[in-house]
Amino acid sequence: MSLVLAAPPAAGQVSSGGARLSYTRGPGAEGCPEEQALRDVVAAQLGGTDPFVAGGGGRRVEVVLSRKGRRFLGEIALYDSDGRGLGGQELTGAACGALVEDVGTALAIALRPLRSAREPAPAPPSPSAPAPAEAASALEPPETGSLGRALAGPPRAPAPAPLPPCQPAAPARPRERRGPSLAWPRLQVGAGALIADGLAPAPAVGFSGFVGARWEAFSLSLEGRVDLPVAAERYRGRFYGVSWRGGSVVPCGHVAWFFGCGVATAGRVRHFGMVNVVGEALSPYAGLGLRGGVEVPFSYSLAARLTGELVANVERPTLHLRGGANWSVAGSSKAGALHLVASF
């Protein structure tokens, strides 16, 4: 549903002191761009001038972003200095970044009459200055037989007809765009702790970090991970330890706060302190799996991410002990992690 923002007669009655902006990100829209992003869109379409002022009179513009099902909703309302409504509009979009650009375009159209009203009118020509037609005629010699007319001076050129007043175009609803905003992708960096099971004889605590690119509905990241050593069962009076370190490529699809990913991982399983073995042994490992989770935004640039994953261990290292005892990585491994994510 859409309403016309402001009729031109109402806009002409507004004070030239600018407009006040109220920008709110409601439930489900906490991760949408901040107020400055909207101001930049409006200013770019008004010749680089930000029409919003911090206080004073003039128009008041209210913008509220919220989540409506799988889409984002942007509600715009304009009020005059007395609080009377001048109009409103509702825009929807699948991508919040693109929706903010559409809202900025609608506001630029609505605020353009106000900016035009503040531009000074051209100064009227001086009465003493001759018109261009008069100056040209004064340089030409009088025609033969027209001496009286030449003495009387050249005929005055007719006054130009006044130009019709400039009428602002009726505000048009911006065309809705689907997909990520043109301002993206954004750089994302994250780090956190995890609990893993299946790569060692017992559950292990580990740490991981990642760097990647994030679009509105897609992300791609590279991760690094280290699992702390886990002591295996006692064998001939001694213990041996198992740990894991490696990296993963993780493409993800995002819908609101939720996401699902594919995981391709590779690394090495480290065995150390083994019976009758000096030093350590490193065995290659590889796996393919799935990951899901939720990302809760604290602000436009900071969020918490909770994930769980299940990986099929394609390459399974096996530890061979003297006496016929063997231990190998399980057929699948699981991990749960909590990360703090920063976006730039």
Side-chain angles (χ1 to χ4, degrees):
M1 179 179 180
S2 174
L3 304 175
V4 177
L5 275 177
Q13 299 172 0
V14 179
S15 167
S16 61
R20 292 171 294 159
L21 175 64
S22 172
Y23 182 78
T24 304
R25 292 175 291 181
E30 296 87 349
C32 290
E34 297 178 349
E35 179 179 323
Q36 188 59 47
L38 176 64
R39 287 176 173 265
D40 292 342
V41 173
V42 177
Q45 302 193 40
L46 293 181
T49 301
D50 188 348
F52 302 114
V53 295
R59 278 191 287 193
R60 179 166 56 89
V61 178
E62 290 186 356
V63 176
V64 178
L65 304 180
S66 60
R67 186 88 187 181
K68 190 175 183 180
R70 294 187 175 182
R71 304 178 68 81
F72 292 96
L73 172 66
E75 299 175 88
I76 311 171
L78 271 67
Y79 301 90
D80 62 13
S81 57
D82 297 326
R84 293 189 298 267
L86 298 177
Q89 191 168 1
E90 292 183 358
L91 301 175
T92 62
C96 191
L99 176 62
V100 169
E101 293 184 3
D102 289 344
V103 170
T105 300
L107 288 178
I109 294 173
L111 295 175
R112 190 170 290 120
L114 174 64
R115 181 172 178 267
S116 300
R118 295 201 298 266
E119 296 176 354
S126 173
S128 60
E134 297 178 11
S137 301
L139 297 177
E140 297 178 357
E143 298 179 2
T144 306
S146 303
L147 183 59
R149 188 166 62 253
L151 293 175
R156 286 184 170 272
L163 296 176
C166 179
Q167 296 292 336
R173 179 175 180 176
R175 180 175 59 87
E176 181 180 322
R177 290 191 304 273
R178 296 179 182 272
S181 166
L182 297 178
W184 293 32
R186 304 176 66 199
L187 174 66
Q188 283 196 324
V189 178
L194 58 91
I195 298 178
D197 185 29
L199 295 178
V205 175
F207 301 93
S208 65
F210 69 88
V211 61
R214 168 69 190 274
W215 290 261
E216 187 78 24
F218 177 76
S219 67
L220 179 64
S221 60
L222 299 177
E223 297 186 359
R225 172 178 151 188
V226 175
D227 291 358
L228 298 181
V230 174
E233 294 182 2
R234 191 177 186 127
Y235 178 74
R236 291 187 177 179
R238 296 185 60 185
F239 288 93
Y240 63 90
V242 178
S243 66
W244 184 89
R245 56 192 176 191
S248 304
V249 178
V250 185
C252 299
H254 298 257
V255 177
W257 289 3
F258 304 94
F259 59 89
C261 313
V263 180
T265 183
R268 287 178 178 267
V269 175
R270 175 176 175 246
H271 309 95
F272 59 95
M274 298 178 293
V275 178
N276 296 327
V277 175
V278 178
E280 65 179 18
L282 297 175
S283 303
Y285 163 83
L288 296 173
L290 298 175
R291 176 185 298 177
V294 59
E295 184 174 298
V296 181
F298 300 136
S299 67
Y300 184 55
S301 58
L302 190 64
R305 178 182 294 182
L306 182 63
T307 61
E309 69 178 45
L310 177 64
V311 176
N313 299 324
V314 179
E315 181 69 25
R316 300 170 56 189
T318 300
L319 174 61
H320 301 281
L321 300 176
R322 297 187 62 180
N326 295 326
W327 174 87
S328 63
V329 170
S332 64
S333 58
K334 304 175 286 295
L338 178 63
H339 290 88
L340 191 63
V341 183
S343 301
F344 304 94

